[in-house]
PDB file of all heavy atoms in Angstrom:
ATOM      1  N   ASN Y 354      -3.290  16.271 -20.535  1.00 83.00           N
ATOM      2  CA  ASN Y 354      -4.621  16.788 -20.843  1.00 83.00           C
ATOM      3  C   ASN Y 354      -5.695  15.958 -20.145  1.00 83.00           C
ATOM      4  O   ASN Y 354      -5.487  14.804 -19.803  1.00 83.00           O
ATOM      5  CB  ASN Y 354      -4.860  16.757 -22.357  1.00 83.00           C
ATOM      6  CG  ASN Y 354      -4.793  15.336 -22.914  1.00 83.00           C
ATOM      7  OD1 ASN Y 354      -3.905  14.563 -22.557  1.00 83.00           O
ATOM      8  ND2 ASN Y 354      -5.718  14.997 -23.798  1.00 83.00           N
ATOM      9  N   TRP Y 355      -6.844  16.570 -19.935  1.00 88.00           N
ATOM     10  CA  TRP Y 355      -7.983  15.881 -19.343  1.00 88.00           C
ATOM     11  C   TRP Y 355      -8.912  15.412 -20.451  1.00 88.00           C
ATOM     12  O   TRP Y 355      -9.199  16.148 -21.391  1.00 88.00           O
ATOM     13  CB  TRP Y 355      -8.738  16.828 -18.403  1.00 88.00           C
ATOM     14  CG  TRP Y 355      -7.954  17.180 -17.185  1.00 88.00           C
ATOM     15  CD1 TRP Y 355      -7.014  18.176 -17.066  1.00 88.00           C
ATOM     16  CD2 TRP Y 355      -8.021  16.544 -15.910  1.00 88.00           C
ATOM     17  NE1 TRP Y 355      -6.499  18.196 -15.796  1.00 88.00           N
ATOM     18  CE2 TRP Y 355      -7.089  17.208 -15.059  1.00 88.00           C
ATOM     19  CE3 TRP Y 355      -8.767  15.478 -15.403  1.00 88.00           C
ATOM     20  CZ2 TRP Y 355      -6.907  16.831 -13.736  1.00 88.00           C
ATOM     21  CZ3 TRP Y 355      -8.583  15.105 -14.083  1.00 88.00           C
ATOM     22  CH2 TRP Y 355      -7.661  15.783 -13.260  1.00 88.00           C
ATOM     23  N   TRP Y 356      -9.369  14.170 -20.348  1.00 86.00           N
ATOM     24  CA  TRP Y 356     -10.246  13.643 -21.382  1.00 86.00           C
ATOM     25  C   TRP Y 356     -11.380  12.821 -20.788  1.00 86.00           C
ATOM     26  O   TRP Y 356     -11.261  12.271 -19.697  1.00 86.00           O
ATOM     27  CB  TRP Y 356      -9.475  12.842 -22.428  1.00 86.00           C
ATOM     28  CG  TRP Y 356      -8.499  11.820 -21.924  1.00 86.00           C
ATOM     29  CD1 TRP Y 356      -7.188  12.028 -21.627  1.00 86.00           C
ATOM     30  CD2 TRP Y 356      -8.735  10.427 -21.661  1.00 86.00           C
ATOM     31  NE1 TRP Y 356      -6.594  10.860 -21.208  1.00 86.00           N
ATOM     32  CE2 TRP Y 356      -7.512   9.860 -21.224  1.00 86.00           C
ATOM     33  CE3 TRP Y 356      -9.859   9.601 -21.781  1.00 86.00           C
ATOM     34  CZ2 TRP Y 356      -7.386   8.513 -20.888  1.00 86.00           C
ATOM     35  CZ3 TRP Y 356      -9.749   8.260 -21.443  1.00 86.00           C
ATOM     36  CH2 TRP Y 356      -8.509   7.736 -21.008  1.00 86.00           C
ATOM     37  N   ALA Y 357     -12.473  12.799 -21.550  1.00 86.00           N
ATOM     38  CA  ALA Y 357     -13.650  12.038 -21.148  1.00 86.00           C
ATOM     39  C   ALA Y 357     -13.477  10.585 -21.534  1.00 86.00           C
ATOM     40  O   ALA Y 357     -12.828  10.266 -22.534  1.00 86.00           O
ATOM     41  CB  ALA Y 357     -14.888  12.619 -21.821  1.00 86.00           C
ATOM     42  N   GLY Y 358     -14.081   9.703 -20.756  1.00 78.00           N
ATOM     43  CA  GLY Y 358     -13.959   8.273 -21.003  1.00 78.00           C
ATOM     44  C   GLY Y 358     -14.909   7.788 -22.079  1.00 78.00           C
ATOM     45  O   GLY Y 358     -15.805   6.972 -21.815  1.00 78.00           O
ATOM     46  N   TYR Y 359     -14.707   8.299 -23.281  1.00 77.00           N
ATOM     47  CA  TYR Y 359     -15.581   7.935 -24.388  1.00 77.00           C
ATOM     48  C   TYR Y 359     -14.972   6.803 -25.201  1.00 77.00           C
ATOM     49  O   TYR Y 359     -13.831   6.905 -25.661  1.00 77.00           O
ATOM     50  CB  TYR Y 359     -15.813   9.142 -25.299  1.00 77.00           C
ATOM     51  CG  TYR Y 359     -16.646   8.814 -26.525  1.00 77.00           C
ATOM     52  CD1 TYR Y 359     -18.010   8.567 -26.398  1.00 77.00           C
ATOM     53  CD2 TYR Y 359     -16.064   8.736 -27.784  1.00 77.00           C
ATOM     54  CE1 TYR Y 359     -18.786   8.252 -27.502  1.00 77.00           C
ATOM     55  CE2 TYR Y 359     -16.834   8.424 -28.902  1.00 77.00           C
ATOM     56  CZ  TYR Y 359     -18.189   8.183 -28.752  1.00 77.00           C
ATOM     57  OH  TYR Y 359     -18.945   7.858 -29.847  1.00 77.00           O
ATOM     58  N   ILE Y 360     -15.728   5.723 -25.371  1.00 81.00           N
ATOM     59  CA  ILE Y 360     -15.318   4.595 -26.191  1.00 81.00           C
ATOM     60  C   ILE Y 360     -16.335   4.453 -27.316  1.00 81.00           C
ATOM     61  O   ILE Y 360     -17.505   4.138 -27.053  1.00 81.00           O
ATOM     62  CB  ILE Y 360     -15.240   3.286 -25.377  1.00 81.00           C
ATOM     63  CG1 ILE Y 360     -14.270   3.450 -24.209  1.00 81.00           C
ATOM     64  CG2 ILE Y 360     -14.830   2.122 -26.265  1.00 81.00           C
ATOM     65  CD1 ILE Y 360     -14.222   2.254 -23.278  1.00 81.00           C
ATOM     66  N   PRO Y 361     -15.944   4.705 -28.570  1.00 79.00           N
ATOM     67  CA  PRO Y 361     -16.893   4.627 -29.680  1.00 79.00           C
ATOM     68  C   PRO Y 361     -17.593   3.271 -29.743  1.00 79.00           C
ATOM     69  O   PRO Y 361     -16.977   2.229 -29.570  1.00 79.00           O
ATOM     70  CB  PRO Y 361     -15.998   4.836 -30.916  1.00 79.00           C
ATOM     71  CG  PRO Y 361     -14.832   5.634 -30.402  1.00 79.00           C
ATOM     72  CD  PRO Y 361     -14.598   5.112 -29.012  1.00 79.00           C
ATOM     73  N   GLY Y 362     -18.893   3.330 -29.946  1.00 78.00           N
ATOM     74  CA  GLY Y 362     -19.672   2.107 -30.054  1.00 78.00           C
ATOM     75  C   GLY Y 362     -20.120   1.531 -28.724  1.00 78.00           C
ATOM     76  O   GLY Y 362     -20.938   0.610 -28.691  1.00 78.00           O
ATOM     77  N   ILE Y 363     -19.571   2.069 -27.634  1.00 83.00           N
ATOM     78  CA  ILE Y 363     -19.921   1.567 -26.304  1.00 83.00           C
ATOM     79  C   ILE Y 363     -20.490   2.690 -25.434  1.00 83.00           C
ATOM     80  O   ILE Y 363     -21.559   2.553 -24.844  1.00 83.00           O
ATOM     81  CB  ILE Y 363     -18.695   0.938 -25.610  1.00 83.00           C
ATOM     82  CG1 ILE Y 363     -18.196  -0.265 -26.423  1.00 83.00           C
ATOM     83  CG2 ILE Y 363     -19.040   0.524 -24.174  1.00 83.00           C
ATOM     84  CD1 ILE Y 363     -16.941  -0.890 -25.874  1.00 83.00           C
ATOM     85  N   ALA Y 364     -19.777   3.799 -25.384  1.00 81.00           N
ATOM     86  CA  ALA Y 364     -20.187   4.920 -24.545  1.00 81.00           C
ATOM     87  C   ALA Y 364     -21.299   5.731 -25.217  1.00 81.00           C
ATOM     88  O   ALA Y 364     -21.494   5.668 -26.430  1.00 81.00           O
ATOM     89  CB  ALA Y 364     -18.990   5.812 -24.253  1.00 81.00           C
ATOM     90  N   ASP Y 365     -21.999   6.502 -24.402  1.00 87.00           N
ATOM     91  CA  ASP Y 365     -23.052   7.397 -24.869  1.00 87.00           C
ATOM     92  C   ASP Y 365     -22.511   8.819 -24.767  1.00 87.00           C
ATOM     93  O   ASP Y 365     -22.394   9.377 -23.676  1.00 87.00           O
ATOM     94  CB  ASP Y 365     -24.296   7.220 -24.002  1.00 87.00           C
ATOM     95  CG  ASP Y 365     -25.475   8.075 -24.444  1.00 87.00           C
ATOM     96  OD1 ASP Y 365     -25.258   9.188 -24.956  1.00 87.00           O
ATOM     97  OD2 ASP Y 365     -26.625   7.627 -24.258  1.00 87.00           O
ATOM     98  N   ALA Y 366     -22.174   9.426 -25.907  1.00 89.00           N
ATOM     99  CA  ALA Y 366     -21.522  10.731 -25.902  1.00 89.00           C
ATOM    100  C   ALA Y 366     -22.409  11.823 -25.323  1.00 89.00           C
ATOM    101  O   ALA Y 366     -21.939  12.696 -24.592  1.00 89.00           O
ATOM    102  CB  ALA Y 366     -21.077  11.095 -27.319  1.00 89.00           C
ATOM    103  N   ASP Y 367     -23.712  11.801 -25.638  1.00 92.00           N
ATOM    104  CA  ASP Y 367     -24.615  12.824 -25.117  1.00 92.00           C
ATOM    105  C   ASP Y 367     -24.709  12.754 -23.600  1.00 92.00           C
ATOM    106  O   ASP Y 367     -24.638  13.772 -22.901  1.00 92.00           O
ATOM    107  CB  ASP Y 367     -26.010  12.661 -25.721  1.00 92.00           C
ATOM    108  CG  ASP Y 367     -26.052  13.014 -27.201  1.00 92.00           C
ATOM    109  OD1 ASP Y 367     -25.186  13.798 -27.632  1.00 92.00           O
ATOM    110  OD2 ASP Y 367     -26.934  12.508 -27.906  1.00 92.00           O
ATOM    111  N   ALA Y 368     -24.879  11.542 -23.080  1.00 93.00           N
ATOM    112  CA  ALA Y 368     -24.971  11.360 -21.630  1.00 93.00           C
ATOM    113  C   ALA Y 368     -23.661  11.739 -20.961  1.00 93.00           C
ATOM    114  O   ALA Y 368     -23.658  12.355 -19.883  1.00 93.00           O
ATOM    115  CB  ALA Y 368     -25.338   9.915 -21.302  1.00 93.00           C
ATOM    116  N   LEU Y 369     -22.546  11.383 -21.586  1.00 93.00           N
ATOM    117  CA  LEU Y 369     -21.246  11.707 -21.015  1.00 93.00           C
ATOM    118  C   LEU Y 369     -21.033  13.209 -20.968  1.00 93.00           C
ATOM    119  O   LEU Y 369     -20.513  13.748 -19.983  1.00 93.00           O
ATOM    120  CB  LEU Y 369     -20.148  11.023 -21.825  1.00 93.00           C
ATOM    121  CG  LEU Y 369     -18.707  11.153 -21.325  1.00 93.00           C
ATOM    122  CD1 LEU Y 369     -18.585  10.734 -19.863  1.00 93.00           C
ATOM    123  CD2 LEU Y 369     -17.775  10.318 -22.196  1.00 93.00           C
ATOM    124  N   ALA Y 370     -21.430  13.919 -22.013  1.00 93.00           N
ATOM    125  CA  ALA Y 370     -21.306  15.377 -22.018  1.00 93.00           C
ATOM    126  C   ALA Y 370     -22.133  15.990 -20.892  1.00 93.00           C
ATOM    127  O   ALA Y 370     -21.678  16.902 -20.188  1.00 93.00           O
ATOM    128  CB  ALA Y 370     -21.747  15.926 -23.370  1.00 93.00           C
TER     129      ALA Y 370
END
Side-chain angles (χ1 to χ4, degrees):
N354 61 316
W355 292 85
W356 48 271
Y359 176 72
I360 302 175
I363 298 176
D365 182 327
D367 290 335
L369 184 53

